[in-house]
Amino acid sequence: MPEGKIVKALSGFYYVLHNQELIQCRGRGVFRKNKVTPLVGDEVVFQAENDTEGYILEVKERKNELVRPPIANVDQAILVFSAVEPDFSTVLLDRFLVLVEYNHIKPLICITKMDLTNEKQKMNIAGYAHDYEEAGYDVILTSSETESGIQQLYPHIEDRITVVAGQSGVGKSSLLNVLRPDLELKTNDISSHLGRGKHTTRHVELIKIGNGLVADTPGFSSLDFTEIEADELTSCFPELLNASENCKFRGCLHVSEPKCGVKQAVESGEIPIYRYEHYLDFLKEIKDRKPRY
């Protein structure tokens, strides 16, 4: 039986890429019975009825999956945040980073709209970029208007499935339009009333850029830490995880425990105070979460 990858899901149809051809498939009833929903990014076995239509028979094992947006087997997330309009938000970026790290997806931070910044804003962004690079993240500063920094993105996209995610209105569609101009994705200006953009993307689709596949998604509609437990949060902050090796007590949550390596690293300036404060806020949020039964 032929195998392929689902690159688009729309109105009950799954579009499977096989030998550079798209086969429009439906899922067999067995999936509903077994509560398996095929996702964009899935490797599947299908049966072709003819050259353009068929049925999905089997979904191969996934290495990861996201619920919102619904996509599987993601290698990387490009987290797109604007320097201004809307203003750069470390707390929102850190929420995205935690969710991406928890799902074992490699993050790449892309800060857009650098052409709109003044000198003071440029210096602030450069400082934040340095902090995140010190934590172990790749950071690329871009402008879709001037195309500055865009070329740096191509090597990261090659041979990977990449999700483009971030706050609405930061220029995700504009960025993809520069990476692949023939896409002509719809973009919306920032609403001056709301201070944020409207979602312009309605379904998940993998778009070929170079030798990579990039998902233009409706974005993370939920940034809640519903799946993460308190003792798992440290591992979602790479620099806290490194510093935690110096904690005296196993299972240290870096709040009020004595001889905590993380708190020592914060006091010495190795870990930026805002990253640690976000960790504490997220930890409290997880601890205050209503129990699930």
Side-chain angles (χ1 to χ4, degrees), residues 85-259:
E85 295 181 20
D87 290 339
F88 184 68
S89 166
T90 56
V91 68
L92 195 55
L93 173 56
D94 286 348
R95 289 189 88 85
F96 273 92
L97 284 169
V98 165
L99 289 165
V100 167
E101 292 277 8
Y102 181 73
N103 284 286
H104 306 292
I105 296 168
K106 178 181 167 58
L108 169 66
I109 299 168
C110 176
I111 303 176
T112 60
K113 304 190 185 181
M114 289 303 294
D115 57 302
L116 300 180
T117 56
N118 58 36
E119 283 308 309
K120 185 181 177 188
Q121 289 164 332
K122 273 191 181 67
M123 283 178 64
N124 283 341
I125 294 296
Y128 287 128
H130 174 76
D131 289 345
Y132 284 100
E133 284 169 341
E134 285 291 298
Y137 295 112
D138 291 322
V139 183
I140 297 177
L141 309 183
T142 68
S143 162
S144 297
E145 198 65 38
T146 66
E147 300 193 12
S148 164
I150 300 292
Q151 289 296 324
Q152 295 174 52
L153 289 170
Y154 286 106
H156 291 276
I157 292 168
E158 286 293 293
D159 302 316
R160 287 178 172 155
I161 291 184
T162 299
V163 168
V164 177
Q167 187 182 6
S168 59
V170 295
K172 296 188 292 292
S173 295
S174 299
L175 188 71
L176 287 170
N177 282 337
V178 178
L179 286 167
R180 202 183 124 181
D182 63 307
L183 287 175
E184 296 180 353
L185 295 171
K186 191 180 171 202
T187 60
N188 272 338
D189 291 332
I190 296 288
S191 156
S192 56
H193 176 62
L194 295 171
R196 56 190 170 88
K198 301 179 204 137
H199 280 309
T200 53
T201 314
R202 293 282 169 246
H203 67 277
V204 180
E205 181 174 356
L206 287 172
I207 299 159
K208 197 164 172 57
I209 296 179
N211 289 320
L213 291 167
V214 177
D216 184 26
T217 76
F220 286 82
S221 55
S222 170
L223 288 171
D224 298 329
F225 304 134
T226 50
E227 301 298 320
I228 304 173
E229 299 302 331
D231 60 356
E232 296 174 311
L233 186 60
T234 299
S235 65
C236 300
F237 285 78
E239 71 275 49
L240 270 68
L241 185 61
N242 286 337
S244 70
E245 291 175 10
N246 298 319
C247 292
K248 183 175 181 183
F249 297 102
R250 267 186 80 177
C252 180
L253 290 179
H254 329 302
V255 181
S256 55
E257 300 91 337
K259 297 189 178 173

Side-chain angles (χ1 to χ4, degrees), residues 272-287:
I273 186 75
Y274 65 87
R275 284 276 286 170
Y276 176 62
E277 286 174 348
H278 295 165
Y279 165 81
L280 293 178
D281 289 344
F282 299 165
L283 185 67
K284 183 176 185 305
E285 187 177 322
I286 290 167
K287 285 180 169 180

